[in-house]
């Protein structure tokens, strides 16, 4: 497993704000198997958990799934700094 990398504070603030809006959001992220996934869901909560490598933060979405914050690529068109040059080839048709 790749050690958790803390995320940019401004992107963390964006996630917190999006959670408080309680509106469906367009979310792109990598799963634990590094599958690129795009969903439209509610962002419910931010949590943290102790791991063998230290502390890791997670985003909880409407389905109850927890996504490591360092694997979140895009929220409502705003890319996380490590992925800002990521090319989005998805189709919303």
């Amino acid at each position: 497993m790749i050690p958790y990398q803390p995320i940019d504070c401004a992107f963390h603030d964006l996630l917190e704000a999006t959670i408080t809006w309680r509106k469906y959001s367009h979310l792109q992220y990598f799963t634990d198997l590094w599958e690129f996934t795009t969903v439209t869901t509610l962002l419910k909560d931010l949590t943290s958990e102790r791991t063998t490598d230290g502390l890791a933060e997670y985003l909880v979405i409407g389905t109850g799934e927890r996504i490591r914050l360092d694997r979140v690529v895009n929220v409502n068109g705003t890319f996380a700094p490590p992925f800002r040059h990521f090319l989005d080839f998805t189709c919303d048709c």
Side-chain angles (χ1 to χ4, degrees):
M1 176 161 276
I2 298 171
Y4 177 77
Q5 298 296 315
I7 67 165
D8 178 72
C9 291
F11 194 71
H12 193 278
D13 292 344
L14 172 75
L15 291 172
E16 287 179 330
T18 305
I19 289 167
T20 61
W21 296 332
R22 296 178 191 237
K23 293 183 180 178
Y24 280 89
S25 298
H26 181 77
L27 174 68
Q28 295 178 319
Y29 63 96
F30 286 104
T31 67
D32 291 339
L33 299 174
W34 288 99
E35 299 165 312
F36 184 70
T37 305
T38 301
V39 295
T40 301
T41 186
L42 290 173
L43 307 188
K44 301 288 268 182
D45 197 10
L46 295 174
T47 63
S48 57
E49 179 180 302
R50 249 295 154 231
T51 65
T52 56
D53 298 325
L55 194 64
E57 295 181 286
Y58 294 87
L59 171 65
V60 180
I61 61 175
T63 60
E65 183 178 357
R66 295 176 342 127
I67 303 160
R68 266 181 38 172
L69 292 190
D70 60 347
R71 294 189 181 161
V72 174
V73 174
N74 180 339
V75 175
N76 294 327
T78 301
F79 284 88
F83 301 105
R84 73 176 60 125
H85 300 296
F86 195 79
L87 298 175
D88 183 4
F89 293 107
T90 59
C91 176
D92 286 335
C93 12

